[in-house]
Amino acid sequence: MSFFDRRGVAGVSAAILLLAGACSAPEPGSEFNDPHEAHNRAVHEENLAMDRALFGGGKPDKKPLLPQPVANTLGNVADNLGTPSDVVNNVLQVRPKPALTNTVRFVVNSTVGILGLFDPATAMGIYADETDFGETLHVWGVREGAYLVVPVAGPTTERDLAGKVVDAIIDPVGALTGPPESYYIGAAKLGGKVADRQRYGDTIDSILYESADSYAQMRLLYLQNRHFELGIEDEADVFDPYEDPYAQ
């Protein structure tokens, strides 16, 4: 089986051209590039309702959806399954050192770590260098585009949404497996998302349920964190609605 068939290549090309070309520029003087705020807020409220139903909505007596040992294991497996995609994007970004590091990490965790159930690579000092096609588009000069809130997935941008579409197409693990293995892989990745929600539960709860405006707070923190990940300095000066203008 080839890494990409012709349909895969066509899908990647179409996704890049369509979605990257749609990345809009911010309006002059705007605090955020958020022209879809009304719709984004509606989706945000739907995501909040789903989060309350699944994870307890910040209640002090909430019970975890998964036992912690199971969550930790699923998180390890999901991280390991995502490493080959990191390697592909490292190569596309012309970053050979992270590509080699991630490759070694994947081999170690897939063998010594028993298919990623454990994370011996971190114990050996081989740390993940996570990336995605959204970062690849940034390296290629594609602008960020508007801020978006996607059902279930949450905050993103036009550029990062394009990246998620392409990542799903070029994922080596997905390309080299078929049913029923692909179903197990999908379930493991979904479990990893649940594990991440539990792992960072206190922080996420404080943003979603203790903020005066959880939408504005989530937008601010997402964009600031994403800019930090990409090493963007000129786009990082976004307006913080909670900042004290007189603080030094």
Side-chain angles (χ1 to χ4, degrees):
M1 180 186 296
S2 61
F3 187 70
F4 299 118
D5 59 17
R6 283 181 294 178
R7 288 178 299 174
V9 173
V12 172
S13 301
I16 294 173
L17 292 175
L18 178 63
L19 293 170
C23 291
S24 59
E27 296 182 4
S30 60
E31 296 167 352
F32 294 97
N33 187 8
D34 190 5
H36 314 296
E37 181 171 351
H39 176 72
N40 284 341
R41 283 185 176 273
V43 176
H44 176 74
E45 289 301 320
E46 294 172 358
N47 287 345
L48 276 181
M50 180 184 64
D51 187 84
R52 290 190 192 97
L54 291 176
F55 300 104
K59 296 178 181 178
D61 58 345
K62 65 180 180 179
K63 295 182 179 180
L65 195 62
L66 296 173
Q68 198 56 45
V70 175
N72 292 339
T73 300
L74 284 174
N76 289 338
V77 172
D79 289 344
N80 192 55
L81 289 172
T83 303
S85 183
D86 292 336
V87 174
V88 171
N89 280 296
N90 291 147
V91 172
L92 293 174
Q93 296 162 16
V94 195
R95 300 173 64 209
K97 184 176 180 180
L100 178 60
T101 299
N102 281 330
T103 299
V104 173
R105 178 180 172 83
F106 179 71
V107 171
V108 170
N109 282 349
S110 297
T111 54
V112 181
I114 313 176
L115 300 178
L117 292 174
F118 306 99
D119 184 14
T122 296
M124 297 166 61
I126 307 172
Y127 300 105
D129 194 319
E130 297 180 357
T131 186
D132 51 54
F133 200 80
E135 181 171 2
T136 299
L137 290 175
H138 164 67
V139 171
W140 290 354
V142 176
R143 62 192 177 194
E144 181 177 75
Y147 177 75
L148 301 172
V149 180
V150 179
V152 182
T156 186
T157 63
E158 289 175 331
R159 180 175 64 200
D160 286 342
L161 181 58
K164 286 180 172 64
V165 172
V166 176
D167 274 329
I169 298 172
I170 68 174
D171 176 23
V173 175
L176 298 175
T177 57
E181 290 82 2
S182 58
Y183 302 146
Y184 303 147
I185 291 171
K189 290 183 176 180
L190 178 60
K193 297 296 184 183
V194 174
D196 285 343
R197 175 60 178 87
Q198 291 186 191
R199 186 185 311 173
Y200 306 110
D202 291 342
T203 300
I204 295 173
D205 285 349
S206 68
I207 296 170
L208 295 181
Y209 304 108
E210 298 175 14
S211 302
D213 184 345
S214 62
Y215 173 81
Q217 188 75 336
M218 180 67 79
R219 177 180 59 188
L220 171 71
L221 294 177
Y222 174 82
L223 292 175
Q224 284 187 335
N225 182 67
R226 187 57 170 162
H227 294 165
F228 175 79
E229 290 176 343
L230 301 180
I232 300 174
E233 296 181 358
D234 57 337
E235 293 181 356
D237 294 326
V238 293
F239 173 74
D240 183 348
Y242 301 100
E243 182 179 5
D244 181 355
Y246 301 103
Q248 299 295 326

